[in-house]
Amino acid sequence: MLLPRTKEGNIDIKKALIQSGLYLVLFAMLILIIIKEPSFLSIRNFRNILTQSSVRAIIALGVAGLIVTTGTDLSAGRQVGFAAVISATLLQATTNVNKVFPELGQIPIFVVILAVIVIGGLVGAFNGAVVALLNLHPFIVTMGSMTIVYGLNSLYYDYVGGSPISGFDIRYTRFAQGAFHIAGFRLPYLIIYAAICTFIMWILWNKTKFGKNLFAVGGNPEAARVSGVSVVKTLIIIYALSGVFYAFGGFLEAGRIGSATNNLGFMYEMDAIAACVIGGVSFYGGVGRISGVITGVIILTVINYGLTYVGVSPYWQYIIKGAIIIVAVAFDSMKYSKKN
């Protein structure tokens, strides 16, 4: 990051603090964690952090496109949970005496992936259509759909037994928990999946007409409309795509954990939104990079993992996470005000 300078060529301390203040705060937290537990710096912890970052990154990639359009998605976590429960019920082992649907037998993994991403895409498209066609604020729309999706998930969860769904098919467990072993180093599949999703979204944002339209709509929807960009189509597609990413994230999350309940995914959207803003995706729209999103996810995961590693209470972690979101948005606001 280039340091801002005054007209005289000197470093502008005030602007530099606005641009980098949040990173300095997070870096200071990391230093305190390392001082308290020097063993935090290890290859094993680094791998664990990347593994934990993987599903969060996939979800954040979905949210990021919405923030670029000045939107948001409070239903992301509940969509993750819905996909997780559906995946879990369809991919239990045939030898599991508590198998929810014993008559189904073995279902190909990619059929289940296709099923949940279609459902996720439809939920996302619904959100996008309501936002675009009825001109309602994304906060209100996705708050409503968050409640609807949670209700649907809970009804389905009660229908299949109302208890944690586990005992998965070994194929599902290996798909989510497996790893490549290269020269003694273990590379989890989850990191590969996250890398593939990141590459797909990077191509979409930077190398396609849709990506240009996305940023045009986020920067100035009226100007984009005058220029021939279909704002409605763009919003519906990006919301649908977000639903697809949430669903795939939910599929992986259930397999990673080894079980699923209707409460899985709770507050996941907060992590995703925080990671995006930390990574430089502006709530004012039209600004953001995929590399920034991934950086934000890793930074937030390092802090979360580090706080857990040194024994900080989960309740304090919620407080710290909330404060990070407020500070991140505040710095974003100050950056925006300086540009206008």
Side-chain angles (χ1 to χ4, degrees):
M1 179 185 295
L2 295 176
L3 293 175
R5 296 184 178 275
T6 62
K7 294 180 180 179
E8 293 76 23
N10 300 319
I11 295 176
D12 191 323
I13 302 297
K14 185 176 181 180
K15 287 185 178 180
L17 287 175
I18 290 174
Q19 288 186 2
S20 309
L22 180 61
Y23 292 102
L24 293 176
V25 172
L26 295 175
F27 182 72
M29 290 177 62
L30 178 59
I31 294 299
L32 290 175
I33 290 170
I34 294 172
I35 290 174
K36 183 172 178 59
E37 288 290 347
S39 61
F40 180 69
L41 293 177
S42 69
I43 295 296
R44 179 182 178 182
N45 284 337
F46 178 69
R47 183 175 60 241
N48 289 341
I49 287 168
L50 287 182
T51 303
Q52 287 190 17
S53 296
S54 299
V55 174
R56 296 182 184 190
I58 292 170
I59 299 168
L61 287 169
V63 173
L66 309 185
I67 297 177
V68 166
T69 64
T70 68
T72 189
D73 195 344
L74 299 182
S75 70
R78 292 309 185 186
Q79 290 189 56
V80 168
F82 196 18
V85 169
I86 292 173
S87 301
T89 56
L90 296 179
L91 287 172
Q92 288 181 294
T94 55
T95 55
N96 186 343
V97 294
N98 297 315
K99 185 173 172 60
V100 174
F101 301 119
E103 68 282 0
L104 288 180
Q106 277 195 342
I107 301 177
I109 287 179
F110 290 100
V111 170
V112 177
I113 293 176
L114 180 61
V116 295
I117 66 175
V118 167
I119 293 171
L122 289 174
V123 174
F126 170 79
N127 287 340
V130 175
V131 169
L133 296 174
L134 300 184
N135 199 29
L136 297 180
H137 197 285
F139 181 91
I140 300 299
V141 174
T142 59
M143 181 171 62
S145 66
M146 171 185 69
T147 308
I148 292 171
V149 171
Y150 180 60
L152 291 172
N153 191 18
S154 297
L155 286 171
Y156 179 71
Y157 184 67
D158 284 345
Y159 172 74
V160 299
S163 59
I165 304 162
S166 58
F168 297 152
D169 189 314
I170 189 63
R171 298 169 303 141
Y172 185 24
T173 302
R174 286 174 179 169
F175 189 90
Q177 299 180 13
F180 292 110
H181 295 270
I182 305 172
F185 181 78
R186 186 175 183 274
L187 179 64
Y189 292 159
L190 284 175
I191 296 176
I192 303 298
Y193 304 146
I196 293 171
C197 289
T198 301
F199 180 71
I200 291 172
M201 194 62 86
W202 183 87
I203 292 293
L204 193 65
W205 277 28
N206 297 283
K207 301 296 181 180
T208 67
K209 182 180 179 181
F210 173 77
K212 294 179 180 179
N213 291 345
L214 179 69
F215 282 90
V217 170
N220 190 326
E222 291 304 320
R225 187 177 289 109
V226 171
S227 300
V229 175
S230 175
V231 176
V232 171
K233 180 180 178 181
T234 300
L235 287 175
I236 292 175
I237 290 176
I238 194 60
Y239 274 87
L241 184 63
S242 295
V244 168
F245 273 64
Y246 306 151
F248 185 54
F251 171 86
L252 294 175
E253 187 71 344
R256 182 183 74 86
I257 295 173
S259 66
T261 71
N262 61 328
N263 284 318
L264 193 154
F266 177 64
M267 296 290 283
Y268 278 31
E269 66 277 359
M270 294 297 102
D271 281 350
I273 292 170
C276 290
V277 179
I278 289 171
V281 183
S282 175
F283 268 116
Y284 291 97
V287 176
R289 293 182 178 181
I290 294 299
S291 59
V293 175
I294 301 303
T295 300
V297 170
I298 293 175
I299 289 174
L300 194 61
T301 305
V302 168
I303 297 301
N304 287 340
Y305 187 89
L307 292 174
T308 301
Y309 193 81
V310 298
V312 175
S313 164
Y315 305 125
W316 275 108
Q317 291 185 39
Y318 277 121
I319 294 171
I320 293 170
K321 193 181 301 180
I324 289 174
I325 293 174
I326 293 173
V327 172
V329 174
F331 277 115
D332 182 53
S333 178
M334 286 187 284
K335 291 177 188 177
Y336 180 82
S337 64
K338 291 297 179 181
K339 293 179 179 180
N340 296 276

